[in-house]
Amino acid sequence: MDSLSDDSPRKVLERVSGALGCSPTSLDVATHLDKHDPLRHLRKQFLIPKVGDLPPSDLSLVDGAEDCIYFVGNSLGLQPRSARKYIDEELDKWAKTGIHGHVEGARPWAWAENNIEELMANVVGAKVEEVALMNGLTVNLHLLLLSFYKPTPSRHKILIEDKAFPSDHYAVESQIQLRGFDPQQSMLLMKCRAGEDTLRTEDILELIRREGDSIAVVMFSGVQYYTGQLFNMAAITAAGHGKGCFVGFDCAHAVGNAELKLHDWGVDFACWCSYKYLNSGAGGLAGAFVHEKHAHTVKPALLGWWGHNLKTRFSMNNEMDLVPGVGGFRISNQPILLVCPLQASLEIFSQTSMPALRQKSRLLTAYLESLIQHYYARDEAQPHLPSVRIITPPAPEERGCQLSLCFSVPIRAVFQELERRGVACDMREPNVLRIAPVPLYNSFSDVHRFVSLLGSALTASAGLPRGAQPSP
Ligand SMILES: *Cc1c(COP(=O)(O)O)cnc(C)c1O
């Protein structure tokens, strides 16, 4: 695959099927791509649930002993094998040594999270001093907005995409209210053009140019959770700065999925959770970024002892020696049991690189896209057959691994039939499925099997005779 890296994913797929002398839809293409996948060994470092263990599986339809098709790493990443070992080590240390665990062992609890900040910084393209691991995502968004959102009568707006993730919407709304402003006036929601599903970069930049003088903070997601659109963070940051705004990103769906260069882009602040593409387990330790240019000027609004210089943190003299930058935003000591699984996952990331993951990801997602279009694009000659429209942008640089599929039929029955067949994915009613083939642990064969099972699921849910819906 390496030698083909300069080609578009489409060209690679054509070339492989050409060389194999088979149809691009043949399982042989998937098998070949898996065999030549330089990252295929990483899958073995995760626990892949078995079909038989997933509650909705129907074992009269599928073999319970097979690995499930896990395409929902955009919602909850899989468990790294070493997570349990690390957690066991800390439970043992606690059992045997009690309080001594704070300063002893492989992960002294009093600074355990500091040991993995460098691994985290590499994934988001930041310097280690620009990253903190703490709290949950929405909490971090609040803490950052408390420092970066300082509205004045002339500059009081926060620009955010319309239909942002609800937690972000509420956070922004409540921050505006907290400052005594009215969300109706101060919350600027960027909508798509009529008839379009995603935002155009040129429209985002134009809106910032037009309204920028009244915008205090531009707060977009990195990858939009619903459409899978990857925003041009570099361009948005530059446009915001051109108008004197702070620019921050919620990278929940971008971290571990897209290549981030938070430092180089000059992003002012960012936050993310770690249980999606970062595989740290539900409610895992979240991340925050503050650019080093703000290290001595933008201060945390709320203080706690964990923002104090570590060297003298425990001398307890009640004179704050604040860590510069995002380190000073830490309030409480960090939960060691959440540090363990995040360490396990970040160590897997450190065995590869985001460019290498992205290279596989572009191909994996393009493969899914090409099979979906081949089998399920609307066929004018057979309008009675259910069809699929992909709302995620087609350009690889405008998306991460996720494709959002919009069906011509209500989605619930299709989703249930997929679940009965051992597929884990995400449904958004009325008619969208979000499918995330994750390059760390998903394979090209997973994609092929999914597309085949989707054919069975569509046939079963529509009550069509067997084989009415073409599929591989
Ligand atoms: C997943 C997600 C959240 C979840 O917030 P928590 O504080 O982790 O519960 C918030 N915002 C976005 C954009 C997300 O994708």
Side-chain angles (χ1 to χ4, degrees), residues 80 83 86-87 113 116 119-120 133-134 272-275 278-281 284-287 336-349:
Y86 292 173
I87 292 172
E113 82 277 14
I116 58 172
L119 297 178
M120 185 71 259
L133 292 168
M134 57 187 187
W272 56 90
C273 56
S274 64
Y275 47 82
L278 292 187
N279 318 301
S280 74
L285 202 57
I336 183 63
L337 297 182
L338 298 187
V339 172
C340 292
L342 183 54
Q343 177 181 352
S345 174
L346 290 176
E347 284 175 352
I348 303 175
F349 276 91

Side-chain angles (χ1 to χ4, degrees), residues 245-260:
C245 321
F246 282 130
V247 182
F249 291 96
D250 182 330
C251 294
H253 281 260
V255 64
N257 178 26
E259 247 184 282
L260 299 177

